[in-house]
Amino acid sequence: MKKWIYKSLVVSVALLSFGLITPKHEIWANFDEDRHGKSVLDRPSDNHISAAYQLDDIIVDEKPLPTTDDFVSAAKEQSYIKFGTKVGPVIEQQFETNIFPKIEEAIALTVDRIGDDKLRNLTVSEKPSGDYSEKIFHIVDNQSKTDVIRFHVRTENRPFDGYYYNFHYHTYEDNYSKHYDLGEIYWSKNTPPKWLS
């Protein structure tokens, strides 16, 4: 085969396969048969080791570490799912300016305290609770199946004052016993709708 056709074919296949089939891959040995006079099965191959390394690179390739921004964007998404279409538009402005920056800060502090080994296993839970339950989202360690940090909102009825949403979080460090306050948002004197509605 002409050398320029061979080279352009090698380059094209390498580009189209996104580098999985490199110029030293065994597939190209079939095209070399003409020049060496031996079949691929008859001649010793030094390419098994490099092929094994390439396979290891593909298999061992781990997903990148999640960043604080990944957790923050998932947290915002789960928060608005929890609020639903009835509560969300009413409290959105106050939530964005007063509450969510504190949620971001709590997430950043938690991510900074956790080592890279554990960080790889963390995810944001995807099912906020409905009705009048507190859970917005949890950041969960998938390996140990434990919550690292829990973000909640409690609906409080204060006599003569009305209804408030109390945002807070709990951490695994004190066995979820202490409330870390994030702030409150006033609803009204009327009973608020259920979450997720």
Side-chain angles (χ1 to χ4, degrees):
M1 188 182 303
K2 294 196 179 211
K3 197 168 189 148
W4 68 271
I5 294 175
Y6 175 77
K7 285 184 179 182
S8 46
L9 182 65
V10 169
V11 169
S12 300
V13 170
L15 288 174
L16 291 173
S17 67
F18 297 109
L20 290 177
I21 299 178
T22 62
K24 295 194 182 238
H25 196 274
E26 285 184 32
I27 196 171
W28 303 116
N30 292 330
F31 291 106
D32 277 344
E33 252 179 60
D34 298 343
R35 290 191 286 196
H36 297 294
K38 289 184 178 179
S39 79
V40 176
L41 299 174
D42 293 341
R43 76 186 131 110
S45 173
D46 59 347
N47 206 18
H48 293 298
I49 295 172
S50 65
Y53 282 130
Q54 290 172 356
L55 185 58
D56 282 347
D57 289 344
I58 294 168
I59 293 172
V60 176
D61 189 26
E62 297 179 8
K63 64 180 182 177
L65 283 177
T67 64
T68 303
D69 291 338
D70 297 333
F71 293 116
V72 166
S73 64
K76 184 177 273 190
E77 179 184 343
Q78 293 306 309
S79 298
Y80 282 105
I81 290 172
K82 168 87 170 175
F83 300 156
T85 57
K86 293 182 181 175
V87 176
V90 177
I91 69 169
E92 179 178 11
Q93 181 67 31
Q94 290 181 15
F95 178 75
E96 288 289 333
T97 56
N98 300 333
I99 307 298
F100 198 71
K102 294 177 184 175
I103 290 176
E104 286 179 291
E105 183 181 341
I107 290 173
L109 290 172
T110 302
V111 167
D112 288 345
R113 282 195 309 265
I114 291 182
D116 286 350
D117 328 349
K118 286 188 177 183
L119 188 61
R120 191 175 306 284
N121 299 319
L122 297 184
T123 58
V124 174
S125 64
E126 293 186 356
K127 293 185 180 175
S129 59
D131 208 20
Y132 290 108
S133 301
E134 292 189 6
K135 177 186 172 188
I136 304 173
F137 66 91
H138 298 169
I139 295 181
V140 182
D141 183 341
N142 287 329
Q143 191 170 24
S144 65
K145 303 294 184 206
T146 57
D147 298 333
V148 175
I149 188 167
R150 298 173 177 172
F151 288 91
H152 292 168
V153 57
R154 181 176 54 238
T155 306
E156 296 179 348
N157 181 9
R158 298 179 186 162
F160 308 111
D161 248 2
Y163 287 90
Y164 285 83
Y165 293 126
N166 174 272
F167 292 85
H168 58 277
Y169 68 94
H170 310 272
T171 68
Y172 72 98
E173 293 164 335
D174 60 5
N175 205 21
Y176 317 107
S177 60
K178 186 176 178 186
H179 279 238
Y180 295 91
D181 192 39
L182 295 168
E184 295 179 335
I185 296 176
Y186 177 71
W187 175 256
S188 76
K189 291 194 178 199
N190 299 326
T191 305
K194 294 179 179 180
W195 297 117
L196 302 176
S197 62

